[in-house]
Amino acid sequence: MSAVEFTGLPGAVAVSHLSVYDWPAADGVCGGTPHMHLTCSEAYVVTGGHGAVQTLTTSGYEVTPLVPGTVAWFTPGTIHRLVNEDALRITVLMQNNGLPEAGDAVLTLPPEYLTDPETYAAATAIPADVPEEEQERIARARRDLALRGFRALRDADGPEPLAAFHRAAAALVRPRLAEWRARWQRGAQAAAAATGDQLDRLDRGDLSHLSDAVVKAEQPAAYGKFGMCGRLDVYKGTA
């Protein structure tokens, strides 16, 4: 009986290094684009500078300070906006092989931009084949548009606007769920299955999987990509 193998990062997480945008917004606050994940938890390990993460859930609006050494995390359904007060730098841990940076994110755009995937994509996509200056302009414009929607949700009177955003976000991602499921199966599900198989083997005295140990390492595959919250250094093998 062959062993169930998984050689990705522990638990099928993904890692990226994030320098949070220092662009000021209309409210005078510097930082990233508010958005929400539907199936993934995300964690921040603060490695430099300081700032905060503003969050909005059905429990209300909160601000969590971020300083070096802080580990902060949140579950699906948490709208979050990173605030850069002084050169905030974070190592980001993402569930499900980095799915948050590969589709599981909906920006808090005003409702008229959330009507269908095409309209949403037109307002959020950053083309890879345009100059960096144009990429930055688009990233800032979509950040500011998402902040308009975020402020409306934060200041809403009653729960219905947030519930409506949840419904719109779910409708937008539905066409991609089969792709997401396949990513989960080859990542987090496979990692859990490998651990179960190893426990079973140890229980019956089978140590054969220990002879198949491997060591891997890699450098970032891309530096300074325009992400939702800042400039990203990303790794190919963890996404």
Side-chain angles (χ1 to χ4, degrees), residues 64-105:
T64 301
L66 299 176
V67 299
T70 299
V71 178
W73 64 95
F74 41 85
T75 58
T78 303
I79 296 173
H80 48 289
R81 174 198 186 189
L82 274 172
V83 172
N84 185 358
E85 297 172 351
D86 179 24
L88 182 60
R89 185 161 176 83
I90 293 170
T91 294
V92 183
L93 307 179
M94 295 170 285
Q95 195 177 13
N96 298 321
N97 300 59
L99 184 55
E101 288 289 348
D104 181 15

Side-chain angles (χ1 to χ4, degrees), residues 142-198:
R142 75 175 185 180
R143 190 278 306 268
D144 294 341
L145 190 61
L147 282 172
R148 280 175 46 197
F150 177 68
R151 287 192 293 269
L153 293 172
R154 185 190 62 192
D155 300 337
D157 184 14
E160 176 51 29
L162 182 56
F165 174 73
H166 288 172
R167 293 192 296 269
L172 284 174
V173 305
R174 188 169 293 117
R176 304 188 65 182
L177 292 183
E179 172 193 337
W180 293 7
R181 184 177 297 275
R183 191 185 189 99
W184 165 71
Q185 287 171 335
R186 67 176 181 265
Q189 186 183 54
T195 298
D197 178 68
Q198 292 158 6

